[in-house]
mmCIF file of all heavy atoms in Angstrom:
data_model
loop_
_atom_site.group_PDB
_atom_site.id
_atom_site.type_symbol
_atom_site.label_atom_id
_atom_site.label_comp_id
_atom_site.label_asym_id
_atom_site.label_seq_id
_atom_site.Cartn_x
_atom_site.Cartn_y
_atom_site.Cartn_z
ATOM 1 N N ARG A 191 6.293 -7.248 -8.412
ATOM 2 C CA ARG A 191 6.961 -8.067 -7.394
ATOM 3 C C ARG A 191 5.909 -8.610 -6.434
ATOM 4 O O ARG A 191 5.376 -9.683 -6.626
ATOM 5 C CB ARG A 191 8.047 -7.256 -6.703
ATOM 6 C CG ARG A 191 9.279 -7.130 -7.603
ATOM 7 C CD ARG A 191 10.327 -6.211 -7.061
ATOM 8 N NE ARG A 191 10.111 -4.833 -7.508
ATOM 9 C CZ ARG A 191 10.884 -3.811 -7.153
ATOM 10 N NH1 ARG A 191 11.904 -4.002 -6.336
ATOM 11 N NH2 ARG A 191 10.640 -2.607 -7.602
ATOM 12 N N THR A 192 5.560 -7.865 -5.413
ATOM 13 C CA THR A 192 4.511 -8.340 -4.504
ATOM 14 C C THR A 192 3.494 -7.222 -4.304
ATOM 15 O O THR A 192 3.407 -6.634 -3.230
ATOM 16 C CB THR A 192 5.094 -8.752 -3.136
ATOM 17 O OG1 THR A 192 5.842 -7.648 -2.614
ATOM 18 C CG2 THR A 192 6.003 -9.943 -3.241
ATOM 19 N N PRO A 193 2.723 -6.914 -5.364
ATOM 20 C CA PRO A 193 1.776 -5.803 -5.240
ATOM 21 C C PRO A 193 0.738 -6.081 -4.141
ATOM 22 O O PRO A 193 0.266 -7.213 -4.010
ATOM 23 C CB PRO A 193 1.111 -5.752 -6.612
ATOM 24 C CG PRO A 193 1.304 -7.097 -7.204
ATOM 25 C CD PRO A 193 2.597 -7.598 -6.654
ATOM 26 N N SER A 194 0.416 -5.051 -3.380
ATOM 27 C CA SER A 194 -0.550 -5.253 -2.298
ATOM 28 C C SER A 194 -1.788 -4.397 -2.534
ATOM 29 O O SER A 194 -1.858 -3.623 -3.488
ATOM 30 C CB SER A 194 0.093 -4.916 -0.956
ATOM 31 O OG SER A 194 0.472 -3.566 -0.932
ATOM 32 N N GLY A 195 -2.760 -4.561 -1.686
ATOM 33 C CA GLY A 195 -3.955 -3.729 -1.735
ATOM 34 C C GLY A 195 -5.220 -4.446 -2.166
ATOM 35 O O GLY A 195 -6.317 -3.912 -2.029
ATOM 36 N N VAL A 196 -5.074 -5.683 -2.664
ATOM 37 C CA VAL A 196 -6.256 -6.351 -3.202
ATOM 38 C C VAL A 196 -7.275 -6.669 -2.102
ATOM 39 O O VAL A 196 -8.481 -6.729 -2.344
ATOM 40 C CB VAL A 196 -5.860 -7.618 -3.998
ATOM 41 C CG1 VAL A 196 -5.466 -8.741 -3.065
ATOM 42 C CG2 VAL A 196 -6.981 -8.033 -4.926
ATOM 43 N N SER A 197 -6.784 -6.825 -0.873
ATOM 44 C CA SER A 197 -7.732 -7.105 0.219
ATOM 45 C C SER A 197 -8.657 -5.914 0.435
ATOM 46 O O SER A 197 -9.812 -6.072 0.832
ATOM 47 C CB SER A 197 -6.987 -7.432 1.511
ATOM 48 O OG SER A 197 -6.096 -6.396 1.840
ATOM 49 N N TYR A 198 -8.163 -4.719 0.138
ATOM 50 C CA TYR A 198 -9.018 -3.532 0.281
ATOM 51 C C TYR A 198 -10.075 -3.500 -0.807
ATOM 52 O O TYR A 198 -11.196 -3.057 -0.583
ATOM 53 C CB TYR A 198 -8.177 -2.257 0.278
ATOM 54 C CG TYR A 198 -7.328 -2.169 1.513
ATOM 55 C CD1 TYR A 198 -6.039 -2.654 1.523
ATOM 56 C CD2 TYR A 198 -7.852 -1.658 2.694
ATOM 57 C CE1 TYR A 198 -5.275 -2.625 2.673
ATOM 58 C CE2 TYR A 198 -7.101 -1.622 3.845
ATOM 59 C CZ TYR A 198 -5.806 -2.107 3.829
ATOM 60 O OH TYR A 198 -5.069 -2.085 4.971
ATOM 61 N N MET A 199 -9.695 -3.977 -2.001
ATOM 62 C CA MET A 199 -10.699 -4.076 -3.057
ATOM 63 C C MET A 199 -11.864 -4.948 -2.564
ATOM 64 O O MET A 199 -13.035 -4.600 -2.728
ATOM 65 C CB MET A 199 -10.077 -4.700 -4.309
ATOM 66 C CG MET A 199 -11.103 -5.065 -5.377
ATOM 67 S SD MET A 199 -10.378 -5.826 -6.859
ATOM 68 C CE MET A 199 -10.370 -7.558 -6.401
ATOM 69 N N LEU A 200 -11.529 -6.068 -1.933
ATOM 70 C CA LEU A 200 -12.570 -7.011 -1.505
ATOM 71 C C LEU A 200 -13.323 -6.508 -0.272
ATOM 72 O O LEU A 200 -14.550 -6.595 -0.198
ATOM 73 C CB LEU A 200 -11.938 -8.375 -1.229
ATOM 74 C CG LEU A 200 -11.279 -9.010 -2.465
ATOM 75 C CD1 LEU A 200 -10.438 -10.215 -2.074
ATOM 76 C CD2 LEU A 200 -12.326 -9.408 -3.487
ATOM 77 N N GLU A 201 -12.589 -5.972 0.690
ATOM 78 C CA GLU A 201 -13.250 -5.501 1.916
ATOM 79 C C GLU A 201 -14.081 -4.249 1.656
ATOM 80 O O GLU A 201 -15.128 -4.063 2.263
ATOM 81 C CB GLU A 201 -12.216 -5.235 3.021
ATOM 82 C CG GLU A 201 -11.605 -6.502 3.609
ATOM 83 C CD GLU A 201 -12.596 -7.314 4.451
ATOM 84 O OE1 GLU A 201 -13.779 -6.928 4.564
ATOM 85 O OE2 GLU A 201 -12.181 -8.352 4.995
ATOM 86 N N ASN A 202 -13.601 -3.397 0.759
ATOM 87 C CA ASN A 202 -14.373 -2.195 0.441
ATOM 88 C C ASN A 202 -15.723 -2.574 -0.180
ATOM 89 O O ASN A 202 -16.739 -1.941 0.090
ATOM 90 C CB ASN A 202 -13.599 -1.289 -0.523
ATOM 91 C CG ASN A 202 -12.445 -0.574 0.167
ATOM 92 O OD1 ASN A 202 -12.295 -0.672 1.376
ATOM 93 N ND2 ASN A 202 -11.637 0.126 -0.601
ATOM 94 N N ARG A 203 -15.719 -3.627 -0.983
ATOM 95 C CA ARG A 203 -16.974 -4.055 -1.582
ATOM 96 C C ARG A 203 -17.917 -4.607 -0.512
ATOM 97 O O ARG A 203 -19.099 -4.286 -0.461
ATOM 98 C CB ARG A 203 -16.713 -5.118 -2.657
ATOM 99 C CG ARG A 203 -17.989 -5.689 -3.277
ATOM 100 C CD ARG A 203 -18.832 -4.624 -3.969
ATOM 101 N NE ARG A 203 -18.053 -3.874 -4.928
ATOM 102 C CZ ARG A 203 -17.859 -4.235 -6.195
ATOM 103 N NH1 ARG A 203 -18.421 -5.330 -6.643
ATOM 104 N NH2 ARG A 203 -17.129 -3.504 -6.994
ATOM 105 N N ARG A 204 -17.358 -5.420 0.376
ATOM 106 C CA ARG A 204 -18.202 -5.956 1.453
ATOM 107 C C ARG A 204 -18.791 -4.827 2.293
ATOM 108 O O ARG A 204 -19.946 -4.868 2.707
ATOM 109 C CB ARG A 204 -17.386 -6.855 2.378
ATOM 110 C CG ARG A 204 -17.082 -8.183 1.763
ATOM 111 C CD ARG A 204 -16.421 -9.086 2.773
ATOM 112 N NE ARG A 204 -15.847 -10.226 2.077
ATOM 113 C CZ ARG A 204 -15.148 -11.182 2.653
ATOM 114 N NH1 ARG A 204 -14.921 -11.136 3.949
ATOM 115 N NH2 ARG A 204 -14.673 -12.179 1.965
ATOM 116 N N MET A 205 -17.952 -3.827 2.516
ATOM 117 C CA MET A 205 -18.404 -2.695 3.330
ATOM 118 C C MET A 205 -19.551 -1.970 2.638
ATOM 119 O O MET A 205 -20.567 -1.646 3.263
ATOM 120 C CB MET A 205 -17.220 -1.747 3.555
ATOM 121 C CG MET A 205 -17.545 -0.544 4.408
ATOM 122 S SD MET A 205 -18.025 -0.997 6.084
ATOM 123 C CE MET A 205 -16.438 -1.523 6.740
ATOM 124 N N MET A 206 -19.414 -1.737 1.346
ATOM 125 C CA MET A 206 -20.465 -1.020 0.628
ATOM 126 C C MET A 206 -21.758 -1.826 0.608
ATOM 127 O O MET A 206 -22.848 -1.282 0.721
ATOM 128 C CB MET A 206 -20.019 -0.720 -0.809
ATOM 129 C CG MET A 206 -18.959 0.358 -0.919
ATOM 130 S SD MET A 206 -19.442 1.933 -0.177
ATOM 131 C CE MET A 206 -20.428 2.635 -1.488
ATOM 132 N N MET A 207 -21.629 -3.139 0.490
ATOM 133 C CA MET A 207 -22.839 -3.962 0.460
ATOM 134 C C MET A 207 -23.522 -3.959 1.824
ATOM 135 O O MET A 207 -24.730 -4.114 1.931
ATOM 136 C CB MET A 207 -22.506 -5.379 -0.002
ATOM 137 C CG MET A 207 -22.009 -5.392 -1.433
ATOM 138 S SD MET A 207 -21.793 -7.033 -2.144
ATOM 139 C CE MET A 207 -23.419 -7.299 -2.830
ATOM 140 N N ARG A 208 -22.715 -3.773 2.863
ATOM 141 C CA ARG A 208 -23.266 -3.697 4.209
ATOM 142 C C ARG A 208 -23.923 -2.341 4.446
ATOM 143 O O ARG A 208 -24.972 -2.244 5.060
ATOM 144 C CB ARG A 208 -22.098 -3.888 5.193
ATOM 145 C CG ARG A 208 -22.447 -4.505 6.508
ATOM 146 C CD ARG A 208 -21.163 -5.084 7.114
ATOM 147 N NE ARG A 208 -21.306 -5.234 8.555
ATOM 148 C CZ ARG A 208 -20.455 -5.918 9.305
ATOM 149 N NH1 ARG A 208 -19.405 -6.515 8.771
ATOM 150 N NH2 ARG A 208 -20.630 -6.009 10.604
ATOM 151 N N LEU A 209 -23.271 -1.285 3.921
ATOM 152 C CA LEU A 209 -23.744 0.076 4.188
ATOM 153 C C LEU A 209 -24.936 0.468 3.321
ATOM 154 O O LEU A 209 -25.887 1.068 3.809
ATOM 155 C CB LEU A 209 -22.617 1.091 3.940
ATOM 156 C CG LEU A 209 -21.431 1.105 4.896
ATOM 157 C CD1 LEU A 209 -20.433 2.158 4.437
ATOM 158 C CD2 LEU A 209 -21.868 1.376 6.322
ATOM 159 N N VAL A 210 -24.870 0.172 2.029
ATOM 160 C CA VAL A 210 -25.915 0.646 1.105
ATOM 161 C C VAL A 210 -26.393 -0.483 0.192
ATOM 162 O O VAL A 210 -26.274 -0.392 -1.031
ATOM 163 C CB VAL A 210 -25.416 1.844 0.260
ATOM 164 C CG1 VAL A 210 -25.310 3.090 1.116
ATOM 165 C CG2 VAL A 210 -24.064 1.556 -0.384
ATOM 166 N N PRO A 211 -26.941 -1.541 0.778
ATOM 167 C CA PRO A 211 -27.335 -2.685 -0.049
ATOM 168 C C PRO A 211 -28.314 -2.282 -1.160
ATOM 169 O O PRO A 211 -28.297 -2.867 -2.242
ATOM 170 C CB PRO A 211 -27.985 -3.650 0.948
ATOM 171 C CG PRO A 211 -28.242 -2.858 2.184
ATOM 172 C CD PRO A 211 -27.242 -1.758 2.199
ATOM 173 N N GLU A 212 -29.145 -1.259 -0.887
ATOM 174 C CA GLU A 212 -30.173 -0.901 -1.873
ATOM 175 C C GLU A 212 -29.564 -0.419 -3.186
ATOM 176 O O GLU A 212 -30.170 -0.573 -4.252
ATOM 177 C CB GLU A 212 -31.126 0.152 -1.286
ATOM 178 C CG GLU A 212 -30.516 1.543 -1.069
ATOM 179 C CD GLU A 212 -29.804 1.692 0.266
ATOM 180 O OE1 GLU A 212 -29.461 0.658 0.890
ATOM 181 O OE2 GLU A 212 -29.577 2.837 0.703
ATOM 182 N N LEU A 213 -28.343 0.141 -3.110
ATOM 183 C CA LEU A 213 -27.718 0.620 -4.340
ATOM 184 C C LEU A 213 -27.356 -0.527 -5.270
ATOM 185 O O LEU A 213 -27.390 -0.391 -6.489
ATOM 186 C CB LEU A 213 -26.462 1.423 -4.004
ATOM 187 C CG LEU A 213 -26.694 2.913 -3.776
ATOM 188 C CD1 LEU A 213 -25.439 3.557 -3.228
ATOM 189 C CD2 LEU A 213 -27.110 3.577 -5.077
ATOM 190 N N PHE A 214 -27.008 -1.665 -4.662
ATOM 191 C CA PHE A 214 -26.625 -2.805 -5.490
ATOM 192 C C PHE A 214 -27.855 -3.405 -6.179
ATOM 193 O O PHE A 214 -27.743 -4.072 -7.197
ATOM 194 C CB PHE A 214 -25.898 -3.857 -4.653
ATOM 195 C CG PHE A 214 -24.525 -3.402 -4.246
ATOM 196 C CD1 PHE A 214 -24.332 -2.682 -3.070
ATOM 197 C CD2 PHE A 214 -23.427 -3.661 -5.061
ATOM 198 C CE1 PHE A 214 -23.075 -2.239 -2.714
ATOM 199 C CE2 PHE A 214 -22.167 -3.226 -4.703
ATOM 200 C CZ PHE A 214 -21.984 -2.504 -3.527
ATOM 201 N N ALA A 215 -29.016 -3.153 -5.579
ATOM 202 C CA ALA A 215 -30.242 -3.619 -6.220
ATOM 203 C C ALA A 215 -30.590 -2.736 -7.411
ATOM 204 O O ALA A 215 -31.214 -3.180 -8.369
ATOM 205 C CB ALA A 215 -31.381 -3.622 -5.207
ATOM 206 N N ARG A 216 -30.175 -1.482 -7.356
ATOM 207 C CA ARG A 216 -30.527 -0.546 -8.425
ATOM 208 C C ARG A 216 -29.524 -0.525 -9.557
ATOM 209 O O ARG A 216 -29.836 -0.097 -10.648
ATOM 210 C CB ARG A 216 -30.554 0.889 -7.875
ATOM 211 C CG ARG A 216 -31.682 1.164 -6.935
ATOM 212 C CD ARG A 216 -31.691 2.646 -6.653
ATOM 213 N NE ARG A 216 -32.479 2.927 -5.473
ATOM 214 C CZ ARG A 216 -32.740 4.144 -5.055
ATOM 215 N NH1 ARG A 216 -32.262 5.183 -5.725
ATOM 216 N NH2 ARG A 216 -33.455 4.339 -3.987
ATOM 217 N N MET A 217 -28.283 -0.900 -9.245
ATOM 218 C CA MET A 217 -27.235 -0.760 -10.261
ATOM 219 C C MET A 217 -26.568 -2.108 -10.497
ATOM 220 O O MET A 217 -26.370 -2.869 -9.566
ATOM 221 C CB MET A 217 -26.185 0.253 -9.787
ATOM 222 C CG MET A 217 -26.802 1.623 -9.553
ATOM 223 S SD MET A 217 -25.636 2.806 -8.869
ATOM 224 C CE MET A 217 -24.522 3.038 -10.238
ATOM 225 N N ALA A 218 -26.211 -2.374 -11.747
ATOM 226 C CA ALA A 218 -25.586 -3.653 -12.078
ATOM 227 C C ALA A 218 -24.077 -3.540 -11.861
ATOM 228 O O ALA A 218 -23.325 -3.227 -12.783
ATOM 229 C CB ALA A 218 -25.912 -4.033 -13.507
ATOM 230 N N VAL A 219 -23.648 -3.769 -10.626
ATOM 231 C CA VAL A 219 -22.228 -3.670 -10.304
ATOM 232 C C VAL A 219 -21.597 -5.052 -10.455
ATOM 233 O O VAL A 219 -22.062 -6.017 -9.847
ATOM 234 C CB VAL A 219 -22.034 -3.173 -8.857
ATOM 235 C CG1 VAL A 219 -20.545 -3.070 -8.528
ATOM 236 C CG2 VAL A 219 -22.718 -1.826 -8.659
ATOM 237 N N ALA A 220 -20.568 -5.137 -11.276
ATOM 238 C CA ALA A 220 -19.921 -6.432 -11.494
ATOM 239 C C ALA A 220 -19.262 -6.904 -10.198
ATOM 240 O O ALA A 220 -18.595 -6.128 -9.528
ATOM 241 C CB ALA A 220 -18.878 -6.309 -12.605
ATOM 242 N N PRO A 221 -19.463 -8.170 -9.822
ATOM 243 C CA PRO A 221 -18.906 -8.667 -8.556
ATOM 244 C C PRO A 221 -17.389 -8.893 -8.626
ATOM 245 O O PRO A 221 -16.844 -9.182 -9.694
ATOM 246 C CB PRO A 221 -19.633 -9.994 -8.341
ATOM 247 C CG PRO A 221 -20.068 -10.429 -9.687
ATOM 248 C CD PRO A 221 -20.269 -9.189 -10.507
ATOM 249 N N VAL A 222 -16.739 -8.763 -7.482
ATOM 250 C CA VAL A 222 -15.291 -9.004 -7.407
ATOM 251 C C VAL A 222 -14.954 -10.107 -6.401
ATOM 252 O O VAL A 222 -13.805 -10.505 -6.270
ATOM 253 C CB VAL A 222 -14.525 -7.724 -6.988
ATOM 254 C CG1 VAL A 222 -14.587 -6.671 -8.078
ATOM 255 C CG2 VAL A 222 -15.035 -7.179 -5.654
ATOM 256 N N ASP A 223 -15.955 -10.595 -5.699
ATOM 257 C CA ASP A 223 -15.721 -11.499 -4.562
ATOM 258 C C ASP A 223 -15.009 -12.796 -4.916
ATOM 259 O O ASP A 223 -14.493 -13.467 -4.045
ATOM 260 C CB ASP A 223 -17.053 -11.886 -3.900
ATOM 261 C CG ASP A 223 -17.928 -10.701 -3.615
ATOM 262 O OD1 ASP A 223 -17.890 -9.750 -4.419
ATOM 263 O OD2 ASP A 223 -18.643 -10.728 -2.605
ATOM 264 N N HIS A 224 -15.040 -13.150 -6.193
ATOM 265 C CA HIS A 224 -14.435 -14.429 -6.571
ATOM 266 C C HIS A 224 -12.926 -14.319 -6.780
ATOM 267 O O HIS A 224 -12.293 -15.288 -7.174
ATOM 268 C CB HIS A 224 -15.116 -14.978 -7.825
ATOM 269 C CG HIS A 224 -15.111 -14.016 -8.983
ATOM 270 N ND1 HIS A 224 -15.692 -12.776 -8.925
ATOM 271 C CD2 HIS A 224 -14.576 -14.102 -10.219
ATOM 272 C CE1 HIS A 224 -15.518 -12.144 -10.082
ATOM 273 N NE2 HIS A 224 -14.840 -12.935 -10.879
ATOM 274 N N TYR A 225 -12.369 -13.155 -6.496
ATOM 275 C CA TYR A 225 -10.924 -12.984 -6.700
ATOM 276 C C TYR A 225 -10.093 -14.092 -6.037
ATOM 277 O O TYR A 225 -9.218 -14.673 -6.680
ATOM 278 C CB TYR A 225 -10.464 -11.601 -6.218
ATOM 279 C CG TYR A 225 -8.974 -11.388 -6.338
ATOM 280 C CD1 TYR A 225 -8.405 -10.908 -7.509
ATOM 281 C CD2 TYR A 225 -8.118 -11.692 -5.277
ATOM 282 C CE1 TYR A 225 -7.041 -10.736 -7.636
ATOM 283 C CE2 TYR A 225 -6.747 -11.528 -5.391
ATOM 284 C CZ TYR A 225 -6.207 -11.046 -6.572
ATOM 285 O OH TYR A 225 -4.855 -10.887 -6.686
ATOM 286 N N PRO A 226 -10.329 -14.417 -4.760
ATOM 287 C CA PRO A 226 -9.510 -15.465 -4.138
ATOM 288 C C PRO A 226 -9.615 -16.817 -4.848
ATOM 289 O O PRO A 226 -8.626 -17.547 -4.944
ATOM 290 C CB PRO A 226 -10.057 -15.567 -2.711
ATOM 291 C CG PRO A 226 -10.696 -14.245 -2.461
ATOM 292 C CD PRO A 226 -11.261 -13.816 -3.778
ATOM 293 N N ASP A 227 -10.800 -17.140 -5.370
ATOM 294 C CA ASP A 227 -10.958 -18.394 -6.106
ATOM 295 C C ASP A 227 -10.132 -18.391 -7.387
ATOM 296 O O ASP A 227 -9.488 -19.374 -7.728
ATOM 297 C CB ASP A 227 -12.431 -18.609 -6.500
ATOM 298 C CG ASP A 227 -13.272 -18.941 -5.293
ATOM 299 O OD1 ASP A 227 -12.685 -19.267 -4.243
ATOM 300 O OD2 ASP A 227 -14.509 -18.861 -5.386
ATOM 301 N N VAL A 228 -10.180 -17.258 -8.085
ATOM 302 C CA VAL A 228 -9.426 -17.158 -9.332
ATOM 303 C C VAL A 228 -7.927 -17.239 -9.027
ATOM 304 O O VAL A 228 -7.163 -17.911 -9.724
ATOM 305 C CB VAL A 228 -9.751 -15.837 -10.067
ATOM 306 C CG1 VAL A 228 -8.979 -15.746 -11.375
ATOM 307 C CG2 VAL A 228 -11.246 -15.734 -10.326
ATOM 308 N N LEU A 229 -7.536 -16.561 -7.961
ATOM 309 C CA LEU A 229 -6.124 -16.583 -7.567
ATOM 310 C C LEU A 229 -5.686 -18.018 -7.265
ATOM 311 O O LEU A 229 -4.665 -18.489 -7.767
ATOM 312 C CB LEU A 229 -5.918 -15.677 -6.340
ATOM 313 C CG LEU A 229 -4.527 -15.664 -5.734
ATOM 314 C CD1 LEU A 229 -3.484 -15.179 -6.741
ATOM 315 C CD2 LEU A 229 -4.493 -14.767 -4.486
ATOM 316 N N LEU A 230 -6.481 -18.721 -6.451
ATOM 317 C CA LEU A 230 -6.121 -20.092 -6.086
ATOM 318 C C LEU A 230 -6.059 -20.980 -7.327
ATOM 319 O O LEU A 230 -5.131 -21.773 -7.487
ATOM 320 C CB LEU A 230 -7.135 -20.650 -5.071
ATOM 321 C CG LEU A 230 -6.861 -22.088 -4.585
ATOM 322 C CD1 LEU A 230 -5.509 -22.161 -3.872
ATOM 323 C CD2 LEU A 230 -7.972 -22.563 -3.663
ATOM 324 N N ASP A 231 -7.022 -20.820 -8.195
ATOM 325 C CA ASP A 231 -7.058 -21.631 -9.414
ATOM 326 C C ASP A 231 -5.787 -21.413 -10.236
ATOM 327 O O ASP A 231 -5.179 -22.357 -10.727
ATOM 328 C CB ASP A 231 -8.304 -21.246 -10.224
ATOM 329 C CG ASP A 231 -8.510 -22.169 -11.399
ATOM 330 O OD1 ASP A 231 -8.374 -23.400 -11.212
ATOM 331 O OD2 ASP A 231 -8.785 -21.685 -12.509
ATOM 332 N N ASN A 232 -5.374 -20.153 -10.344
ATOM 333 C CA ASN A 232 -4.159 -19.846 -11.098
ATOM 334 C C ASN A 232 -2.909 -20.385 -10.410
ATOM 335 O O ASN A 232 -1.991 -20.865 -11.065
ATOM 336 C CB ASN A 232 -4.036 -18.339 -11.310
ATOM 337 C CG ASN A 232 -4.855 -17.871 -12.494
ATOM 338 O OD1 ASN A 232 -4.540 -18.194 -13.633
ATOM 339 N ND2 ASN A 232 -5.918 -17.141 -12.235
ATOM 340 N N LEU A 233 -2.889 -20.310 -9.092
ATOM 341 C CA LEU A 233 -1.713 -20.801 -8.369
ATOM 342 C C LEU A 233 -1.607 -22.321 -8.491
ATOM 343 O O LEU A 233 -0.512 -22.868 -8.632
ATOM 344 C CB LEU A 233 -1.780 -20.392 -6.894
ATOM 345 C CG LEU A 233 -1.608 -18.891 -6.612
ATOM 346 C CD1 LEU A 233 -1.870 -18.583 -5.139
ATOM 347 C CD2 LEU A 233 -0.208 -18.421 -6.999
ATOM 348 N N ARG A 234 -2.741 -22.983 -8.427
ATOM 349 C CA ARG A 234 -2.709 -24.439 -8.559
ATOM 350 C C ARG A 234 -2.293 -24.850 -9.966
ATOM 351 O O ARG A 234 -1.661 -25.896 -10.159
ATOM 352 C CB ARG A 234 -4.073 -25.032 -8.200
ATOM 353 C CG ARG A 234 -4.372 -24.901 -6.715
ATOM 354 C CD ARG A 234 -5.825 -25.192 -6.417
ATOM 355 N NE ARG A 234 -6.107 -26.611 -6.545
ATOM 356 C CZ ARG A 234 -6.276 -27.433 -5.517
ATOM 357 N NH1 ARG A 234 -6.171 -26.990 -4.290
ATOM 358 N NH2 ARG A 234 -6.522 -28.697 -5.705
ATOM 359 N N ALA A 235 -2.643 -24.005 -10.938
ATOM 360 C CA ALA A 235 -2.319 -24.336 -12.330
ATOM 361 C C ALA A 235 -0.813 -24.301 -12.598
ATOM 362 O O ALA A 235 -0.349 -24.886 -13.566
ATOM 363 C CB ALA A 235 -3.038 -23.377 -13.278
ATOM 364 N N VAL A 236 -0.056 -23.608 -11.753
ATOM 365 C CA VAL A 236 1.386 -23.505 -12.004
ATOM 366 C C VAL A 236 2.195 -24.384 -11.058
ATOM 367 O O VAL A 236 3.394 -24.197 -10.886
ATOM 368 C CB VAL A 236 1.877 -22.040 -11.915
ATOM 369 C CG1 VAL A 236 1.293 -21.216 -13.052
ATOM 370 C CG2 VAL A 236 1.533 -21.429 -10.558
#
Side-chain angles (χ1 to χ4, degrees):
Chain A
R191 284 173 271 179
T192 55
S194 62
V196 75
S197 55
Y198 292 93
M199 170 181 88
L200 298 169
E201 288 290 2
N202 286 354
R203 176 61 53 87
R204 285 187 194 177
M205 181 63 72
M206 288 303 278
M207 295 188 89
R208 209 159 158 168
L209 291 179
V210 288
E212 69 274 18
L213 271 171
F214 289 89
R216 290 188 197 185
M217 300 175 68
V219 180
V222 292
D223 311 34
H224 55 300
Y225 177 87
D227 289 346
V228 181
L229 176 60
L230 181 61
D231 188 44
N232 277 292
L233 291 173
R234 291 167 72 105
V236 293

